[in-house]
Amino acid sequence: GEDWQDAIHIAADFIEIDGFEVTAGQHGINGESRHHLRIVNNHAHTCGKSGISLGHNPNHPWYPSDYYWVEGNLCHNNA
C-alpha cells in the first residue's frame, strides 16, 4: 500500500516505536526496507492488512532490511 495508508509509517533508520496502540491503516506499524528498528510493547489491532510489517520491499531493492528488535507486542484482529 501507499505510505499514507499506514497508521505508523517508519521512514528513517535507527527508530524505536514503544508503547503505542494502533487501530487503523493498512499496516499498523510499517518499517519495510529499513534497518535498526526497535518495535516494542505496542498493541496493533483491527488493521486492514498486518499489525506490524517489517522486511524487504521489492519495490525498493536499494534499501537494506535488517537489525530488527521486536518484543512484547500484541497483534490481533488484523486481516
Side-chain angles (χ1 to χ4, degrees), residues 20-75:
F20 286 89
E21 181 173 6
V22 180
T23 61
Q26 291 297 309
H27 301 287
I29 300 170
N30 186 351
E32 293 175 352
S33 297
R34 293 287 152 202
H35 59 87
H36 293 87
L37 301 181
R38 187 170 145 86
I39 312 297
V40 294
N41 306 316
N42 299 288
H43 183 191
H45 58 96
T46 56
C47 299
K49 291 185 180 177
S50 64
I52 298 173
S53 179
L54 303 172
H56 181 69
N57 183 335
N59 295 325
H60 303 161
W62 50 89
Y63 291 124
S65 299
D66 53 8
Y67 301 102
Y68 296 134
W69 181 285
V70 181
E71 184 176 67
N73 298 287
L74 176 63
C75 297

